[in-house]
Amino acid sequence: MKTKLLTVLTTLSLGAGLIAAVNANPMQDEQRYCAANPVDCYCEYRGGAKVCFIK
């Protein structure tokens, strides 16, 4: 029983981590693109952090 519970918890935590990684990627990809191609992007400061968006 303990092993089964541990397996379920591990599976759930891996799934949650994967979902978080998938949701985080588009913004990170956009920031990397803007760092490489600043002419194609509009940047502003939000909460002390520089955030860029593709035009």
Side-chain angles (χ1 to χ4, degrees):
M1 182 68 175
K2 185 177 178 184
T3 305
K4 186 175 182 178
L5 181 60
L6 187 58
T7 304
V8 169
L9 290 175
T10 303
T11 304
L12 288 175
S13 66
L14 287 173
L18 191 61
I19 290 170
V22 168
N23 288 338
N25 281 339
M27 185 66 167
Q28 290 173 350
D29 289 342
E30 190 170 27
Q31 299 307 306
R32 281 193 291 269
Y33 176 84
C34 287
N37 305 292
V39 176
D40 297 337
C41 296
Y42 163 74
C43 297
E44 60 184 44
Y45 286 92
R46 291 188 179 177
K50 184 177 178 183
V51 182
C52 297
F53 305 97
I54 299 172
K55 291 181 186 177

